[in-house]
Amino acid sequence: MTPKLRNKVHRQRMHSWQSIPQQNSARSSTASWIKENILKRECCFFEKGVREDECKCGHSKTDHVDEAIKPDNFTGESWDKHRHVREVPTDAFGDISFGGLGQKTGKYARVSTDTSPEVLYQLLTEQWNLSPPNLLISVTGGAKNFYLKAGLESMFHRGLIKVAQTTGAWITTGGTHVGVMKHVGRAVRDHALSSSMQGQIVAIGVATWGIIHNRGALVNPEGCFPANYEMDIEGQGRLSCLDNNHTHFLMVDDGTQGNYGVEIELRSRLEKCITRKRLGNRVSGVTIPVVCVVLDGGPGTLNTIYNAMLNGTPCVILEGSGRIADVIAQVAGLPLSRVTIALIHQLMKKFFGQEYENFSHLKIIEWTKKIQDIIRMSQLLTIFRISEDNHREVDVAILQALLKASRASERLGIECWKRQLELAIAWNRVDLAQTEIFTEESQWKSSDLHWALFSALVGDRPRFVSLLLENGVSLNDFLQDEETLCGLYREMPGCVFLRKLAKRVQRSCRSRRKGFHMKPRARPGRDETISMTHVADEVRHLLGSFTHALYPPPDMSCQFEMLTEETSASVSMGSQTQLREDNADAQRDPGRDLFLWAVVQNNKELAEIAWELCTDSVSAALAASKILKTMAEEGSDADESEDMRELASHYEDHAMGVFSECHNSDEERARKLLVRVSPSWGRTTCLRLALEADDKSFVAQSGVQALLTQIWCGGLSVDNPVWRVLICMVFFPLIYTGFLVFRRDEVIHRKAEKMEEIKSVETVTRSTLRTKSRNLDPSRPKPLKPLSCWCRLVQLYSSPQVKFYWSIVSHFAFLFLYAVVLMIDFQATPSAGEVLLYVWLLSLVCEEVRQVFYDPDGFGFHKKAKMYINDLWNILDVLSIILFAIGLTFRLTTELFYAGKILLCIDFVVFCLRFMAIFTISRTLGPKIIIVRKMMTDMFFFMFLLSIWVVAYGVAKQGILIHNDNRLDWIVRGAIYEPYLTIFGNFPTNMDYAAFDLDSCSMNGTDPLKPKCPVLNENLTPAFPEWLTIIMLCVYLLFANILLLNLLIAIFNFTFQTVQDNTDRIWKFQRYELIKEYHSRPAAPPPFIIFSHFYLFVRNVLLSRGLIASEEFKCVLPQTEEEELLSWEALMKDRYLLSTQQEKNQSMERRILDTSQKVTTITDRLEREEETGSAAVVQRLARLEEQVCQSAKALQWIVDSLKSQGFASKEAQPPTWSVADESPETLTDPSEKEDRNHVKARELHYPNSKLARFPVPEEKVPWEISFSSYKPAYYASEDGGDHVDGSESEALDNYRNPRGRTGLRGRGALSRLGPNRSAELVLTRIQEGQRSVLEYMAVWDESQGTVTLPGGALQSADHLPGALERTIGKTMYEKLNAKVSEGTKVFEGYVDDCRNTDNAWVEITVLNIHLESTSQFAADIDSMVASSNGALQWQEVSRKTRLGSDQRDSLRLVAKLHNRKF
């Protein structure tokens, strides 16, 4: 285990121990809530059942309460489930532990069948702390154990877990350890074993309480935390054990025991409740989708699939899983005419085996009808076939089924794609979006996808962000409104920056109210929300006060005072105004805004995408490094801070990579890139950001060092040898002889060489276009002139390099003068040399003061002083000046004259140490000074260890040798000084009898110049035990000399080896400060520098003139040059990213991963081919058998025909094939068109009643086809009940539905037998505008939230429906009646209505009345629509209309009538 991982585990354990009281409190709260809101059901009346001690509810007598047990002579009412089962508070809830390997635990609760789904959803999300799902997967199928092929089982497990993991889905099952629930549990178990993030998959088991084995262990009125549940598979009998791999259990109780299927209704209601909830993302307007996954299953599963699809739930059926799933899969691709009762008989027998014998013929007819209806809803049905889906996984099939259902359910094209995209983003499945949504068919505008980009950003979907940007989303348009960016910051997940930003907003609001004398609000108002001003202030704090605000503050913000921490770095009001102007002039960089938003929340993937979009990539990477390192220092979470430092290092590498590409391409441009002012990042420079971020690796690059070297040399060429510069410093006239090369001369020489090359090329090519184009270029800079004599002299002595050399000479002279004064000329009255020394020191003091107050970067005094003190050499400067001042004060007084000299001598040592700073510029000695500083730190801590041995030995030795010495100086000498000298070989003489000299000590310690003698005997010989003192000395020397000193050497060696690799980098980083110091330093060396200080004081303080700006470290480029430079930088960034990607692709790890994926793909393909190969053979044999059967039928028909015509054979008839079929009618070829058969009129559930139709399969619809089993019920809505047996009227025979059987006799919900005529009015007009639009009048149905066409039941063919009069008023109704004759009948005939029966049906007439725009009648209609308050609306005739399917068909005919596209 790595140290980092070990520390993390330790922190997690500590956190778990600390969180135990919180867990106990949470459990108590959950238990109280459950007891108040969750109920169970119990039997309150005991009546003997089949067994003596068992009630009819299934529970034993002992399980009933006392009041439920009646006396034996009780003769009251009999047991009734609806009256004798009551609800009481639940007594089974808490945590369930299954024990065994892994100690699997979950949550459980016993709930009543009448529990509100809202309460259960609240239990799951609020009490059990489950995150709301993005998808609900309802897995159903066989409740008995069944066999799945290894390949299909593996694909199901992998696909189910993948879709749940990637989308954040909930999986719901029956919860027991059998059948399909067992397979789901195994999938969850396999995920838990292979993933370190256990508990990520939510598997909710909704089981029946009365069939759970060992449920007694779960009962406890106060809750079980945990309840130890034992799975006893062998002893469960007819009951079932809970599956130990599910995470949550809802056990549905109806008060009975042993009855399966009790949970179905509540599970259905819960799933429906969940699907009405909005997705967790607040931006999304999509409800939680649900999908049903089917494996195996029997008749009950068929009902579940049928009801689910009627409710609009898409179903995914796995072919090859067995029974009903395989039956549906076999017929799913066939036309409805081929899905016959005989075929279903055949498939049922094939896939159900012995179970088929228990199926009645009527049940087969019902199932045939349901299967046909299922196939008809193809948009909701997905069959996953291994043979066809070699390149598709189960998870993709599930999600594609949802998208297919979504595409079919939406009538509006763009809304359809929008819903699908919302689902894909919520599931974080960019692969589906690429293949299903962003296709060539879909055309997106940038504005259409802004919501999607916002959702992807807030939901942390980096791959979706890339996909959206690739498909045309403009980041400029997206972030054009500042409110969008504010919204991103408000939706930011919890992080260090958000907490700091919240505190800043609160402080800002408090200071604002304080400034206006306002009372604090009880609740936060709108003024306390995050604004870009707050973001800019916080980012400026992270970047540094030397930067400007990234976002311009509003005009009124200058009225409020700045925060205390920013006061030291604040600028005047005039500079604030200038700052606002600078920010206003700067062009907004949306890539910068998005990158900053991603960086401050430490989101690497989103930040990586945004960084690639930044125009100023090097500055952005360095700014990110600075921000992340600052947040890491201020953060409290060690792991989060470590992640921030890693990300900061990552962006430092990015900055280095891009800059290296820039420097390799063009060194001059690369230098400009370092010192140019970046308007996007607070008007600072790349170099300054790198220094503030402590990015040593970036500064150590050759390109940055080349810039520093150029600044170090000033106007001189960097190629000049040092000896030439030193000679010219003394004999300056040599600079006019070419002895020393200047940078201006080099530039002129290079340009001359370039012109010579151009002329030579023109001479060879005989073309003058290049010269002419250069002469005509208006942006071409003017030619440079050679330096004048005075400029050469100024550039020589203003070069930082020359200033440094003069400073060294000056410091040598100062130390020489200082030494002469101390050793030779230190008089009571200061001599001339000593006065010169004082003046010299005064010039040094002035220079130090100038360094503190010189602030060209705008750090502020507080920051500048902090930077000054953090430098070791500055500390030595301050120390030397303070000691010199104290020594000078003492020296000028008679009493402390000698003490003053001592201080000045000590100060000379400090000045000599300060002289070491001159070596920092040396490439050889500079790194060594860094190593020495590190070793001094090691030695300081080593002295603590050494002091323990010195003091231990010294005190013991002093106590043994000397008796009661009261002289402190000699005690310190004996206990510390002498043991310390012993380490270096100065052995004491008083520890050995042979070396002891009585004259070298004082007997009573009275002689101050001699130590006290050791304890003596009577004969004046030492009394101490010599053997002990010698042994102590040997042990002391062994540890001190050998062990500790060698330890110190080893420490020094380790430090040297460790630091040696980084010393060069550290030296290059610290070199900048020395170069900048001498760049800003006056040219004259001390003590003559004092005249420069006097000039600066007069100019800057007395005359209040600003600092002279230097373009060496900070340069503002013209706009054209700025744009060219950024374009070139973007090109270099692309090169860097391309090379990085190539290196990544060619790395050994990537090759191994690619090889592994290819091997896995080949293995899976071979396994699938092996399975599908055998399946294909079986399928071919089945087809061959079917063809043989059909041939046998045809031959039998030919034989029968010949017999009927008298051609009977004399030979015996050969045996014929017999096929199970219900009747000879099934041999009839159903050649009728399928679209002629009504569909809605055969729906099994008749509307607004509890009545079910007799199932009529597709082949039995026509009256001409014999259907002996057809026995429909009779229903008329006027009768007292829904179902009346045997009350048929003779009039029914006179009316027969023209489209065939419906499964119900009588009038049904219609008003009369036979045709029930109605009419729909399509009132149209032409609306002129930018384009001519055909519009129709629609009626808004507020109860349904939809629009319909005006119409109603038709009383007369010459008049409009009477219901229309209530809609449009009597006057307008009469006018429209007059227009009926002018209208056009668009359609007239039978309507497939769900109210139709065998004897009553609906016929409709669709009438189109077109209004001329210039007519008075059209004006009257317009005024009626305008005054209807939205009840009447004009809508465009198009496919986007929200009418029902039948009315949409009518509208399509109207559009065709007027030659309009629908």
Side-chain angles (χ1 to χ4, degrees), residues 1165-1391:
R1165 198 171 282 181
L1166 289 174
E1167 291 178 356
R1168 292 178 183 178
E1169 288 180 357
E1170 183 180 354
E1171 292 182 0
T1172 55
S1174 58
V1177 172
V1178 173
Q1179 189 174 9
R1180 292 177 64 184
L1181 290 174
R1183 289 179 181 175
L1184 181 61
E1185 182 181 356
E1186 182 180 358
Q1187 291 177 1
V1188 169
C1189 293
Q1190 291 177 355
S1191 300
K1193 290 179 184 179
L1195 290 174
Q1196 182 65 37
W1197 179 78
I1198 293 172
V1199 170
D1200 293 341
S1201 299
L1202 290 174
K1203 282 182 178 181
S1204 63
Q1205 296 179 13
F1207 295 99
S1209 175
K1210 296 180 181 179
E1211 298 179 3
Q1213 181 179 346
T1216 59
W1217 292 89
S1218 61
V1219 181
D1221 200 358
E1222 71 143 349
S1223 63
E1225 295 89 31
T1226 57
L1227 296 176
T1228 306
D1229 183 18
S1231 59
E1232 70 277 356
K1233 295 182 180 179
E1234 295 174 13
D1235 56 358
R1236 291 186 55 191
N1237 295 338
H1238 42 207
V1239 177
K1240 295 181 182 178
R1242 293 186 291 122
E1243 290 178 355
L1244 290 179
H1245 301 287
Y1246 194 78
N1248 301 323
S1249 73
K1250 297 181 180 179
L1251 198 65
R1253 297 179 188 266
F1254 190 90
V1256 181
E1258 197 74 24
E1259 60 186 306
K1260 299 299 183 181
V1261 173
W1263 294 107
E1264 296 80 12
I1265 303 299
S1266 174
F1267 192 12
S1268 58
S1269 303
Y1270 184 60
K1271 296 179 181 179
Y1274 174 86
Y1275 174 63
S1277 59
E1278 292 179 351
D1279 296 338
D1282 287 343
H1283 189 185
V1284 180
D1285 294 326
S1287 58
E1288 300 182 10
S1289 172
E1290 296 179 359
L1292 295 181
D1293 298 334
N1294 299 326
Y1295 301 97
R1296 179 177 285 187
N1297 193 308
R1299 287 292 183 91
R1301 299 181 178 92
T1302 64
L1304 188 67
R1305 301 178 69 239
R1307 188 165 41 81
L1310 296 176
S1311 58
R1312 62 173 62 90
L1313 294 173
N1316 290 256
R1317 294 182 176 86
S1318 62
E1320 289 179 350
L1321 177 64
V1322 183
L1323 207 59
T1324 57
R1325 70 173 185 179
I1326 300 294
Q1327 182 68 20
E1328 299 292 345
Q1330 294 181 351
R1331 62 187 182 93
S1332 177
V1333 176
L1334 179 65
E1335 293 184 335
Y1336 73 98
M1337 191 178 74
V1339 179
W1340 171 253
D1341 187 353
E1342 189 172 356
S1343 62
Q1344 300 293 331
T1346 57
V1347 293
T1348 60
L1349 292 175
L1354 196 62
Q1355 304 299 330
S1356 171
D1358 299 332
H1359 291 81
L1360 294 173
L1364 192 59
E1365 184 177 349
R1366 295 190 297 271
T1367 304
I1368 63 177
K1370 184 176 181 180
T1371 305
M1372 197 59 60
Y1373 175 75
E1374 292 175 354
K1375 291 182 180 181
L1376 278 175
N1377 259 330
K1379 294 278 187 180
V1380 169
S1381 59
E1382 301 176 8
T1384 304
K1385 287 186 179 180
V1386 179
F1387 174 79
E1388 186 175 20
Y1390 180 86
V1391 176

Side-chain angles (χ1 to χ4, degrees), residues 712-713 716-729 738-742 746 796 801-802 805:
W712 173 249
C713 294
L716 305 179
S717 172
V718 296
D719 297 328
N720 289 317
V722 176
W723 62 271
R724 289 196 179 193
V725 177
L726 294 175
I727 292 174
C728 289
M729 286 170 55
F739 184 75
L740 206 62
V741 181
F742 287 82
E746 284 185 331
L796 171 65
Q801 183 182 17
V802 174
Y805 294 148

